[in-house]
Amino acid sequence: MSDPVSSAPLQRSPLHNVHLELGGRLVPFAGWEMPVQFSSIVDEHKAVRESVGVFDISHMGQILVSGTEAESFLNQALTNDCSVLAPGQGQYSLLLNDDGGVIDDLIVYRTSPKEFFLVVNASRIAEDWAQLEKLAHGNEEVELANASAVTAGVAVQGPRSAAVCRHLFGVAAPFPPRNTIFVAASASGFMWLCGTGYTGEEGFEFFMPATEAEGWFRKILAAVKEEGGLPCGLGARDTLRLEMGYPLNGNDLSPERTPLQAGLGFFVKLDKPKFVGREALLNQKEAGLPDKLTALRMTTASPPPRPHYPILVGGENVGEVCSGTQSPSLGCGIAMAYLPPHLSAPGTALEVEVRGRRFPAEVVKKPFYSKKNG
Amino acid sequence: MSNVPDNLRYRESHEWIDPKQDPAPVGITDHAQAELTDVVFVELPKVGAQVQAGDQVAVIESVKAASDIYAPVSGEIVEVNETLTNEPGLINTDPYLKGWIYKMKIADPSVADVLLSPDGYRTHIA
């Protein structure tokens, strides 16, 4: 059996000691040392689908945008239309480069008429910050603050999330509805309770000052265990999000491809008069998409498809796997890949090459998993 | 604590072999299966292959990653555990019995002595 590769110094979560205490297997992820699993990816995955799981998401970044022009600034920086958000509401959006390529995908929440809270990917905090600073340069009416280093995050996901919420905040506390945010002040800073997640299950994400993370995590974990749930690592987070067909930046999104290619057109409001990347997207729409992020599943017993495995049709190389895994819910290999539009229709037969051997696969609709077929 | 049976010999890369049997079964240790967790696919070697000690001969896929499995000694692969094709999880649940991966005809039985003893392997994973 081959040993894992060691790597450069990594940032540690404020929950690092708790991870060690819980027997978490720590691995490098996006420059952080994070738990890939505590017990088993499959057990943790099933806990989230059937009861509830708790994840440390402290590696994720938080950027605050405020000022009288915060809304118009964000509407020029991001693809979605944040002017439709009332205070307390959030939406999925994308930060693009001038060529329409994806710098990051993120959630933007409006916390007040002039304040927004952005949750961004750990691996892109520096790029996001650089792009937002560049765009805000010279604008006196917009203020940016990067709270990433001092903010911890915990995600509670699964059908028993509401019960966990009641354990934590009392039976009278409302469960955060989908895509909402509630801000509370504490002695050590702000806390944000968000009705969002990355698993396809009901749940919430809770961001707080890093100094408060351990206390909250222990309380949440106790409630999760009481509901029959488990602490979960990034391994289960990845299989859960992939079963839903949610993209992961770095795997499925990149500066070389647009959100239209990634199938995220719903979150791109081309009718906005101006935003970074708009021209490039309009041109691409006119010219036609060269390829589309396509879902596929293995049709026989096979090794799990993994990133960069070649995809073939009739012996010709037509693309490579971006994200791929063995689906714990479906019991087969699933993957996403950029394929030419004529090969992206459901039912199209493909092959995935694994260490020189080819295994049959077919294009399917997203999501891979839903409560009905699971 | 991992189970390390006294009747087997071990390679540092976490394979076990039972050199007292002929042909000798090979698998991965309890420690290794616990590290991998969730084995979902086993790529078996070819029957009849002549292999050298240290050759990569099989692949075990967990949800997390693909791991190479090496031949602990030189010899010929004479049988593979076809049951693992449909039940790869046997590697997790029964790594020393039902979870054997292949059996080999050992070229030189004395070389088995260069492998780790059970105590040597216990120290290695401690």
Side-chain angles (χ1 to χ4, degrees):
Chain A
M1 202 179 104
S2 39
D3 284 322
V5 189
S6 65
S7 86
L10 298 163
Q11 294 190 72
R12 282 182 172 175
S13 158
L15 296 169
H16 183 76
N17 289 335
V18 186
H19 297 327
L20 294 177
E21 190 183 307
L22 293 171
R25 182 133 346 125
L26 301 178
V27 298
F29 177 81
W32 289 70
E33 190 177 14
M34 294 294 284
V36 66
Q37 64 184 60
F38 293 94
S39 45
S40 115
I41 292 173
V42 171
D43 291 350
E44 293 167 20
H45 180 108
K46 288 185 171 160
V48 172
R49 288 274 179 256
E50 289 158 18
S51 58
V52 65
V54 55
F55 302 79
D56 179 9
I57 53 168
S58 297
H59 56 303
M60 298 199 75
Q62 296 78 24
I63 294 172
L64 301 155
V65 182
S66 57
T68 52
E69 290 187 11
E71 178 188 297
S72 59
F73 166 75
L74 284 176
N75 254 355
Q76 292 196 22
L78 305 175
T79 59
N80 209 337
D81 181 5
C82 67
S83 72
V84 304
L85 298 175
Q89 295 180 335
Q91 67 186 188
Y92 182 72
S93 197
L94 294 125
L95 182 69
L96 305 185
N97 60 30
D98 291 336
D99 301 328
V102 177
I103 298 173
D104 205 1
D105 63 331
L106 51 93
I107 308 276
V108 49
Y109 304 92
R110 186 195 284 263
T111 51
S112 82
K114 293 173 192 170
E115 290 171 297
F116 293 86
F117 179 69
L118 275 50
V119 177
V120 307
N121 283 296
S123 59
R124 295 295 185 276
I125 296 169
E127 288 90 339
D128 295 344
W129 181 252
Q131 171 77 349
L132 292 172
E133 271 216 308
K134 187 182 87 181
L135 297 174
H137 183 75
N139 188 338
E140 301 283 314
E141 304 305 324
V142 174
E143 208 165 316
L144 301 175
N146 187 349
S148 304
V150 294
T151 305
V154 176
V156 175
Q157 301 279 297
R160 302 298 298 160
S161 295
V164 171
C165 192
R166 286 194 295 273
H167 284 292
L168 293 174
F169 305 112
V171 287
F175 185 71
R178 192 103 198 122
N179 290 331
T180 61
I181 187 166
F182 175 77
V183 189
S186 78
S188 52
F190 287 103
M191 300 195 290
W192 296 269
L193 192 64
C194 306
T196 37
Y198 195 43
T199 64
E201 298 295 331
E202 188 175 282
F204 59 93
E205 295 175 309
F206 187 22
F207 299 98
M208 69 209 80
T211 49
E212 304 219 339
E214 194 172 323
W216 275 109
F217 188 84
R218 287 185 194 283
K219 269 185 239 172
I220 295 170
L221 181 61
V224 163
K225 283 187 169 165
E226 200 155 325
E227 292 301 323
L230 290 174
C232 300
L234 296 180
R237 191 167 155 83
D238 193 55
T239 54
L240 288 158
R241 69 93 193 165
L242 188 50
E243 283 185 352
M244 300 311 296
Y246 297 158
L248 171 65
N249 198 357
N251 282 35
D252 312 300
L253 305 177
S254 82
E256 284 76 45
R257 285 198 166 91
T258 71
L260 304 181
Q261 289 167 275
L264 301 172
F266 180 78
F267 308 99
V268 178
K269 303 303 180 198
L270 287 169
D271 53 350
K272 288 198 297 183
K274 198 176 152 197
F275 64 86
V276 176
R278 182 173 178 271
E279 289 304 310
L281 297 186
L282 287 172
N283 290 340
Q284 187 180 60
K285 207 168 177 182
E286 174 118 2
L289 301 177
D291 51 27
K292 289 161 82 171
L293 188 61
T294 303
L296 54 114
R297 66 181 281 170
M298 308 307 291
T299 51
T300 60
S302 77
R306 300 192 193 275
H308 307 302
Y309 285 1
I311 296 174
L312 302 101
V313 172
E316 291 284 310
N317 200 320
V318 294
E320 64 169 42
V321 172
C322 302
S323 283
T325 192
Q326 180 82 4
S327 160
S329 302
L330 306 175
C332 67
I334 58 172
M336 295 202 289
Y338 282 95
L339 296 177
H342 72 279
L343 296 175
S344 63
T348 307
L350 310 163
E351 287 179 306
V352 178
E353 191 176 295
V354 185
R355 296 180 291 273
R357 282 173 68 195
R358 292 173 192 174
F359 294 88
E362 67 170 355
V363 173
V364 293
K365 274 192 188 159
K366 280 181 269 188
F368 295 97
Y369 169 86
S370 69
K371 286 285 177 200
K372 279 173 296 207
N373 67 23
Chain B
M1 271 310 286
S2 296
N3 178 17
V4 180
D6 283 323
N7 59 324
L8 306 176
R9 308 290 285 189
Y10 300 87
R11 194 173 187 272
E12 286 185 357
S13 51
H14 310 289
E15 292 84 6
W16 59 262
I17 184 167
D18 184 353
K20 301 246 167 55
Q21 289 190 54
D22 184 25
V26 177
I28 65 164
T29 64
D30 185 39
H31 172 80
Q33 73 75 21
E35 286 288 310
L36 290 176
T37 61
D38 305 328
V39 172
V40 293
F41 188 84
V42 183
E43 198 170 286
L44 297 165
K46 285 207 167 49
V47 171
Q50 298 288 336
V51 300
Q52 300 295 312
D55 281 359
Q56 183 250 313
V57 293
V59 180
I60 294 183
E61 298 256 13
S62 66
V63 174
K64 216 169 29 196
S67 303
D68 291 337
I69 305 303
Y70 303 98
V73 295
S74 303
E76 181 188 347
I77 310 275
V78 295
E79 196 182 341
V80 296
N81 187 357
E82 299 284 359
T83 314
L84 295 178
T85 308
N86 292 319
E87 294 178 70
L90 288 172
I91 300 247
N92 292 123
T93 54
D94 197 1
Y96 295 115
L97 292 169
K98 290 183 185 157
W100 65 275
I101 299 169
Y102 59 91
K103 291 182 181 173
M104 62 192 301
K105 199 112 189 121
I106 301 175
D108 172 3
S110 69
V111 302
D113 295 339
V114 306
L115 294 167
L116 293 173
S117 66
D119 276 342
Y121 183 67
R122 283 183 196 109
T123 309
H124 176 60
I125 61 174

